[in-house]
Amino acid sequence: MFGLFSKEKKELSLLLEVQSGLVRGALVAYSEDHPPRILFVTTHKIPTTPDINSTRIVKLMLNAVHEVVSHVAKEGLKRAGNLEINKRSLQTVHFILSSPWIVSESKTIKVSYEKNTEIKKEAVQKIVEDESAALSKKYEVMDAESVEQKIFEVRLNGYAVSHFEGREARELEVSFATSVSSAKFINRIRNEVQKILHIPRVHYHSCLLLQYNALRSLSNHKNEYIYAHVHDEFTDVIVVKNGLCIGLASIPFGVKTLIRKMSLSLKITTETSESLLTLLSEHKLEEGEEKKVRAVLEHIIQKWKLDFFKILTTASPPSLVPRTLYLSAHFHFELFHDIVMMENEFNFEIISYDDLSENTHFEFEKASEHSRMIEMYAYSLLNMVQ
């Protein structure tokens, strides 16, 4: 397999992020003689619709991929040329997938042997591969393809080790994460890109694993925290204890889900519902209307809260749940901040994802849209090959 980045002096990479409600593309220049630069970022939102028919959603998503890649080809590469970066240096595309396009889970598997047994790399890999197959079966991904695997820690006889191969132990413990996606889906988004740009090297990633990788370096040396990304139709959650990821999960509820349910409850359009949420966040509703909206919200959000706190207490007993929460929720940070704090028995310190340390050493070109997510993904990918 090719490396994530080549040894050439300069190379462009296309980062293509596919969320539940948007597609975002970015051109990133990696160079031996200059800090990495984010040259161009473009975002295409998937329209909010009253129904969430899977066939329609996939069609809208592929259309968004087409629009983003077309804009990259027309405007992004032109901007790269203006900066004296040859478009032929675009050699790699990184597909970064979030729910529902990918399923990611973390696990710790323990194996006991009757006597001291030599631990081989193949034994550890088989544990991960078996779990990948179990994950595909659990979520009924019929044509599953393993997208990304990451081993966090290996313990022999209860002790963490950096080198395990060839050593003997009576107990092997492996903490890892694995991600699977539909092979058909992967082929469809790759083909959509290839219609416009012929890029030789292709890599697929779980957005959760890239975010976790970045958070490990940028979380101000905290080794216990929760990260929650509320996007359009899902909420992705990472739970970290003692510096290790002990929980990866997704809740099928996001900002658009909330907007859609509000419009049904209040018998208003999704556009009006979204406007009400914005006015609520900005404290611009009259007292009576605010009370009415909050009452509806409290009813709708109960399931999200139950699922969110269930993830936290499944990964760790309530008394040991991390008290730092990094929260990303588009333009609705204040709303979800208040929702979490409504029944906050954990007394969280809630920090906006945008306020994380910015020691990524990435530069945005002046004319480029700034995206904190893209910066974190680019930083994570760079760290993976250093």
Side-chain angles (χ1 to χ4, degrees):
M1 181 182 289
F2 287 98
L4 292 178
F5 309 111
S6 75
K7 299 295 185 182
E8 295 174 14
K9 191 172 184 181
K10 287 185 180 179
E11 182 176 319
L12 276 178
S13 287
L14 170 61
L15 275 55
L16 195 69
E17 178 189 16
V18 185
Q19 290 189 21
S20 60
L22 65 80
V23 175
R24 184 180 287 124
L27 282 179
V28 184
Y30 294 92
S31 172
E32 292 179 356
D33 55 4
H34 195 283
R37 288 182 290 171
I38 298 171
L39 309 180
F40 180 79
V41 179
T42 182
T43 304
H44 188 92
K45 281 188 165 289
I46 298 172
T48 303
T49 57
D51 67 284
I52 50 172
N53 176 276
S54 60
T55 302
R56 176 168 168 73
I57 291 296
V58 170
K59 185 176 179 180
L60 288 170
M61 181 276 300
L62 290 173
N63 179 65
V65 169
H66 181 89
E67 292 297 320
V68 165
V69 178
S70 295
H71 200 203
V72 168
K74 184 177 179 180
E75 300 296 334
L77 291 179
K78 180 180 176 182
R79 187 172 299 173
N82 292 339
L83 296 168
E84 299 184 348
I85 299 174
N86 194 314
K87 65 181 181 181
R88 291 191 180 89
S89 66
L90 179 55
Q91 295 291 306
T92 307
V93 57
H94 295 276
F95 290 98
I96 301 166
L97 309 176
S98 67
S99 304
W101 316 114
I102 192 169
V103 178
S104 301
E105 279 193 359
S106 63
K107 285 273 187 176
T108 297
I109 302 293
K110 188 181 291 187
V111 180
S112 297
Y113 304 99
E114 291 183 359
K115 59 181 182 179
N116 273 346
T117 301
E118 181 182 353
I119 306 300
K120 297 182 179 180
K121 183 178 179 180
E122 291 77 12
V124 173
Q125 191 60 38
K126 186 176 186 305
I127 289 172
V128 178
E129 288 173 356
D130 287 349
E131 188 56 37
S132 214
L135 186 63
S136 304
K137 187 175 180 181
K138 175 180 176 181
Y139 288 95
E140 299 180 346
V141 185
M142 302 304 294
D143 60 337
E145 184 168 317
S146 181
V147 172
E148 197 167 37
Q149 301 170 343
K150 184 174 180 63
I151 295 173
F152 302 132
E153 185 179 69
V154 175
R155 288 177 173 264
L156 301 182
N157 297 331
Y159 294 95
V161 295
S162 53
H163 302 288
F164 63 86
E165 192 166 15
R167 297 179 65 173
E168 291 190 347
R170 295 193 65 174
E171 185 179 87
L172 167 65
E173 189 174 332
V174 186
S175 298
F176 61 96
T178 186
S179 301
V180 298
S181 185
S182 158
K184 182 179 178 181
F185 167 75
I186 284 175
N187 288 332
R188 289 182 75 175
I189 58 170
R190 182 176 63 232
N191 291 340
E192 203 63 48
V193 172
Q194 295 294 344
K195 289 176 186 176
I196 302 163
L197 292 171
H198 300 287
I199 305 174
R201 295 198 295 273
V202 176
H203 299 279
Y204 300 95
H205 307 278
S206 158
C207 74
L208 274 174
L209 289 182
L210 288 189
Q211 288 165 5
Y212 167 65
N213 192 49
L215 282 165
R216 291 181 72 185
S217 301
L218 299 174
S219 54
N220 294 321
H221 306 294
K222 291 181 184 289
N223 65 354
E224 296 192 358
Y225 53 84
I226 301 152
Y227 166 70
H229 177 208
V230 187
H231 45 110
D232 291 272
E233 300 289 358
F234 284 80
T235 299
D236 294 326
V237 182
I238 302 171
V239 183
V240 175
K241 287 280 291 182
N242 299 319
L244 291 178
C245 175
I246 63 166
L248 288 175
S250 292
I251 302 168
F253 191 109
V255 173
K256 280 189 178 178
T257 321
L258 179 60
I259 290 167
R260 194 165 48 250
K261 288 180 179 292
M262 268 191 67
S263 68
L264 288 170
S265 294
L266 296 172
K267 295 181 172 56
I268 56 178
T269 64
T270 53
E271 291 80 10
T272 304
S273 181
E274 190 163 10
S275 295
L276 277 177
L277 283 180
T278 300
L279 292 171
L280 179 67
S281 296
E282 295 174 353
H283 307 288
K284 291 181 179 178
L285 291 178
E286 293 182 0
E287 185 178 346
E289 192 170 20
E290 180 176 337
K291 188 175 181 181
K292 179 183 176 182
V293 172
R294 286 195 181 278
V296 171
L297 272 178
E298 191 168 342
H299 174 72
I300 292 171
I301 213 71
Q302 280 302 317
K303 183 66 165 63
W304 181 89
K305 286 201 297 185
L306 286 171
D307 288 345
F308 178 68
F309 286 107
K310 183 180 179 181
I311 288 169
L312 304 189
T313 51
T314 298
S316 192
S319 61
L320 298 178
V321 168
R323 277 6 188 206
T324 299
L325 169 61
Y326 294 111
L327 177 63
S328 173
H330 293 307
F331 300 109
H332 299 288
F333 171 83
E334 294 296 335
L335 173 63
F336 279 88
H337 175 284
D338 292 347
I339 289 167
V340 171
M341 296 299 286
M342 275 181 198
E343 299 173 14
N344 185 10
E345 63 180 280
F346 298 104
N347 193 28
F348 288 127
E349 174 194 13
I350 302 180
I351 301 168
S352 170
Y353 185 70
D354 293 332
D355 293 337
L356 273 166
S357 167
E358 296 190 3
N359 299 323
T360 59
H361 306 296
F362 270 74
E363 296 179 0
F364 278 89
E365 288 300 321
K366 289 181 180 179
S368 172
E369 171 193 333
H370 279 233
S371 167
R372 186 66 169 145
M373 282 289 181
I374 288 295
E375 184 181 11
M376 297 288 266
Y377 293 141
Y379 176 72
S380 185
L381 288 169
L382 181 65
N383 280 352
M384 286 169 68
V385 295
Q386 285 183 332

